[in-house]
Amino acid sequence: MTSGMIETQLLTADKAGIAQAAKLLRTGALVSFPTETVYGLGANARNDTAVARIFDAKGRPHFNPLIVHLPSVAAAHDIALFDDLADRLATAFWPGPLTLVLPLKPNTGLSPLVSAGLDTIALRVPEHALAQQVLVAAGVPVAAPSANPSGRISPTKAGHVMDGLSGRIEAVLDGGPCGVGVESTIVGFANGQAVLLRPGGLPVEALEACLGTPLTVHASEDIVAPGQLASHYAPDAPVRLNAETLRDGERLLGFGPVQADLNLSPSGDLVEAAANLFHHLHALDAGGDAPIAVSPIPNHGLGRAINDRLRRAAAPRG
């Protein structure tokens, strides 16, 4: 495989499409497939060249680790060491929009590029039925960041993937729009405590209820999990947050009962807002380079993940 222009197949979500996606993954090709959060860009996590091609296709910094997607909790136990806290969260929330960062077992055969040279590994068991079918059929652990050029808006439809990565990857499996719409919540473990590394599609409140204790929050600037770059998920246009009024020339990404160019949820529903976030950012990005103002978003439940993505979208570009 080379990093030159290649023909990207758009596969249908039927038996033949799933079989083709699985075969491509096994043989070192790059395949985008839907999960309940966003579309992932999959590669065989045991194939160094395939994993390197993820970074090449996305233009992704090599110090930014990848999430390995697996079909079951049992498969995750083959790759990482679980303590009692990790087991409790995996039992409660897998399959689902939760990634756990755990100590990597020796001799798993994973490419060191997947973990960015760290001694931990980020694992997830997705809930999406199509993702499950692909993972089972492929029979290999699949490294899969979001299927977009690095730092840009994450894809929630197959068309978003084709717009960003066509010609760089072998196939996109079209499973329709993603239901959750923001990436997984990432949790690590340190000193006997669960640590929030990235808010996401599983609300922090649900994790804390399961554990019976608050999560600690990762405060270091070190990159220990995917999605921690300061500038990320960014459209071309500048983004201004917590906008109560519009400035000249701005377009409004609204929330709640406001007049807006696009509204994440006119009724103020955070689940609806999360599902619409990247789709609406894509639409505004395609509509011109005028600045984007964003209505205030409540910072609870899925609002934490929405605000996290918006802060990174608005951050100074590197």
Side-chain angles (χ1 to χ4, degrees):
M1 304 291 180
T2 71
S3 59
M5 291 291 289
I6 55 180
E7 183 177 353
T8 301
Q9 304 175 56
L10 186 62
L11 304 175
T12 54
D14 54 18
K15 186 175 180 179
I18 292 165
Q20 177 68 356
K23 178 182 177 181
L24 287 168
L25 286 168
R26 280 195 304 274
T27 56
L30 300 187
V31 179
S32 176
F33 59 93
T35 76
E36 67 275 22
T37 57
V38 299
Y39 272 72
L41 177 57
N44 182 345
R46 293 193 170 114
N47 183 317
D48 288 321
T49 302
V51 175
R53 286 191 59 225
I54 288 179
F55 292 97
D56 184 52
K58 285 176 61 72
R60 184 184 180 96
H62 281 233
F63 55 79
N64 201 359
L66 306 176
I67 297 173
V68 175
H69 290 64
L70 300 161
S72 66
V73 176
H77 275 268
D78 290 338
I79 289 175
L81 298 170
F82 284 69
D83 62 13
D84 289 342
L85 289 179
D87 270 325
R88 197 183 310 173
L89 292 179
T91 299
F93 299 113
W94 276 355
L98 172 67
T99 293
L100 299 179
V101 177
L102 300 164
L104 179 63
K105 282 185 173 180
N107 304 317
T108 63
L110 295 186
S111 169
L113 288 172
V114 174
S115 58
L118 302 173
D119 59 4
T120 54
I121 191 72
L123 301 179
R124 183 160 97 85
V125 179
E127 188 175 18
H128 195 287
L130 196 56
Q132 279 283 327
Q133 292 172 66
V134 169
L135 292 169
V136 170
V140 294
V142 174
S146 56
N148 56 298
S150 188
R152 300 302 305 279
I153 308 166
S154 296
T156 54
K157 295 182 178 182
H160 297 159
V161 183
M162 294 295 287
D163 288 344
L165 296 178
S166 181
R168 302 186 194 181
I169 67 177
E170 277 71 19
V172 179
L173 182 62
D174 187 353
C178 300
V180 175
V182 292
E183 294 85 356
S184 59
T185 302
I186 303 181
V187 174
F189 303 90
N191 303 315
Q193 293 183 304
V195 182
L196 179 66
L197 300 176
R198 180 183 75 181
L202 181 64
V204 170
E205 292 86 346
L207 292 161
E208 293 178 338
C210 174
L211 295 173
T213 184
L215 296 179
T216 60
V217 178
H218 178 70
S220 168
E221 293 185 1
D222 294 339
I223 302 294
V224 297
Q228 291 186 316
L229 293 176
S231 177
H232 208 44
Y233 316 110
D236 284 331
V239 177
R240 183 172 68 89
L241 306 182
N242 298 311
E244 300 283 0
T245 58
L246 276 183
R247 298 172 182 170
D248 286 347
E250 286 185 329
R251 297 168 293 164
L252 181 63
L253 178 59
F255 177 83
V258 296
Q259 292 293 321
D261 294 82
L262 288 173
N263 199 312
L264 293 169
S265 175
S267 66
D269 184 323
L270 289 171
V271 174
E272 180 184 21
N276 284 331
L277 176 62
F278 290 133
H279 176 59
H280 283 4
L281 283 174
H282 275 288
L284 289 171
D285 206 28
D289 57 4
I292 299 168
V294 185
S295 293
I297 310 291
N299 201 42
H300 60 77
L302 288 180
R304 296 192 197 194
I306 296 168
N307 283 321
D308 173 81
R309 304 309 188 273
L310 288 170
R311 280 192 298 272
R312 297 175 195 274
R317 314 293 164 84

